[in-house]
Structures are given as C-alpha cells and as structure tokens.
Amino acid sequence: MRVAIGVLLAAGIAISTVAQAAIYRWVDDQGVVHYTETPPPASNKDRGSRIRTLSAPTGGTEQGRQRSEAIQNRLKTIEDQRKKSTEEQTRLDAETERRETVCKAARQNLANLEIRTNRRVRDSEGNITVMTEEERNEKMEEARAQIEKNCN
C-alpha cells in the first residue's frame, strides 16, 4: 500500500510540474503502438490521435507540496491509530487472561475451603496451622469476592 501511495504522490508531483502536455497514441508501420508527447511523424499512415491533455493545477508546486504533506500526515495518523488499536487489543487480551487465571484459582480455593475437613494451611514460613472456623469463613468470603470480581 505504501508503494502505491508513493507512486501516486510521485505522479502527482510530476503532473504538477508540467505546464501543459498532450499525449498522443499512434501505431507505426510495423504495428507497434507508441505513446508520445509529440504528434506522430507526417510520414506515418496512422495519423494518431490525441488521447489526453494535461494541465498544471492552479496554485503550482507549492499547492502540490501542501497536498502531499497533508496526505502524509493523514497516513501517519491512520498508522498511529492502527498501532494504538493493536496495543489496546493486546492489553485487553492480557487482562482477560489474567482475570481467567485469578477466577480459576479463586474457584479452586473456595472449593477447598468448603470441604470442612480441610482446615490446615501453610503460612509464609512453611509452618502448618489449623484454621479456626472464623478464619475459614473470612477466607471463603475473600474467595467469593474474587470470583464475583473476576469471573463472568
């Protein structure tokens, strides 16, 4: 796409520098088709035909340069928006994955806490202690809050 835009810009600049040019199409005696800015030679049987006359746009090359800059600015804006959109989608995907992981862990934690016989827990130092019923209920409420927050 960038190549096509570059070609169009180059063509626009080239056209804007031409004051006025006619393009002729003619076929020589060997059957070869020619496109030139000059009429066919008088000796040619096919007198050719003028197919297009190009005129310079009003405003000269400065206006063409301004148009070129405006197009480049629009393309940069579109590219920036596309990049932001991609980054936002990546961020949303990562957040969704994180929430799914937290949801799964919270559901598993709640299931473990609901089993009355499983009251032993390991603290940060690696010691095993027995949870009181109050601590167990508190942990279950925390798990439920995580489930509500992170699970759909």
Side-chain angles (χ1 to χ4, degrees), residues 6-35:
V7 170
L8 289 174
L9 288 175
I13 291 170
I15 289 172
S16 68
T17 60
V18 176
Q20 182 171 351
I23 298 177
Y24 296 89
R25 178 192 179 278
W26 54 279
V27 181
D28 66 13
D29 295 334
Q30 285 77 32
V32 178
V33 177
H34 296 272
Y35 292 91

Side-chain angles (χ1 to χ4, degrees), residues 84-136:
K84 285 179 185 177
S85 176
T86 302
E87 289 171 355
E88 179 67 15
Q89 187 61 46
T90 301
R91 187 190 66 74
L92 287 174
D93 290 346
E95 177 64 17
T96 300
E97 186 175 331
R98 183 199 66 79
R99 288 181 68 180
E100 288 174 357
T101 302
V102 170
C103 175
K104 184 177 178 181
R107 287 181 194 263
Q108 184 64 45
N109 190 23
L110 181 60
N112 289 340
L113 289 167
E114 287 176 338
I115 300 172
R116 288 197 172 271
T117 60
N118 190 7
R119 294 178 137 190
R120 287 180 271 161
V121 292
R122 189 177 305 242
D123 63 12
S124 60
E125 297 170 359
N127 301 324
I128 297 176
T129 59
V130 177
M131 253 193 299
T132 65
E133 188 63 27
E134 185 177 298
E135 289 173 329
R136 182 174 157 270

Side-chain angles (χ1 to χ4, degrees), residues 30-76:
Q30 285 77 32
V32 178
V33 177
H34 296 272
Y35 292 91
T36 63
E37 292 181 359
T38 58
S43 63
N44 189 279
K45 294 177 187 172
D46 176 18
R47 289 291 187 208
S49 59
R50 178 185 281 191
I51 58 172
R52 183 171 295 157
T53 301
L54 304 173
S55 299
T58 58
T61 58
E62 179 62 26
Q63 187 178 16
R65 186 187 62 74
Q66 289 173 351
R67 275 191 251 151
S68 175
E69 287 176 1
I71 290 170
Q72 288 174 348
N73 289 339
R74 276 187 251 143
L75 288 173
K76 181 163 179 19

